[in-house]
Amino acid sequence: MATMNISLPDDMRSAVDKQTEARGYGTSSEYVRDLIRRDLDRQALRALLDEGRRSAQDEPITEKTFDALRDRAARAAGQDG
């Protein structure tokens, strides 16, 4: 694992410390990693939604359609299932 040092204003550092404790993270690094993971998940979902908007829908939307989309989103997020 690589190390990265970041500089934060005092108010942001205080907010990170409060959230780390309030949400039960062991360290501020765990909290920041979780924020980054969530952001990457949102970006993957946004990309899928944008792709869907650009594509033409030839078939009616069914439960099977949503199952396929859930599977695709999970793969894109690296969850595999």
Side-chain angles (χ1 to χ4, degrees):
M1 186 177 307
T3 299
M4 175 185 278
N5 295 314
I6 60 170
S7 299
L8 298 173
D10 290 339
D11 60 332
M12 289 182 80
R13 175 58 198 235
S14 177
V16 167
D17 290 341
K18 286 178 185 175
Q19 290 301 309
T20 298
E21 185 176 336
R23 296 180 184 208
Y25 293 97
T27 66
S28 58
S29 290
E30 290 176 12
Y31 173 63
V32 171
R33 282 192 296 270
D34 191 47
L35 289 176
I36 293 169
R37 275 188 220 98
R38 290 172 186 256
D39 183 55
L40 293 172
D41 288 347
R42 277 191 292 273
Q43 288 178 39
L45 178 58
R46 187 172 295 125
L48 289 172
L49 291 171
D50 288 343
E51 180 183 331
R53 272 194 294 269
R54 289 188 303 270
S55 69
Q57 183 67 36
D58 295 333
E59 302 173 15
I61 296 175
T62 65
E63 186 61 34
K64 184 178 176 183
T65 306
F66 285 106
D67 289 342
L69 289 171
R70 284 185 199 98
D71 289 344
R72 209 164 152 199
R75 283 193 307 276
Q79 297 173 358
D80 291 333

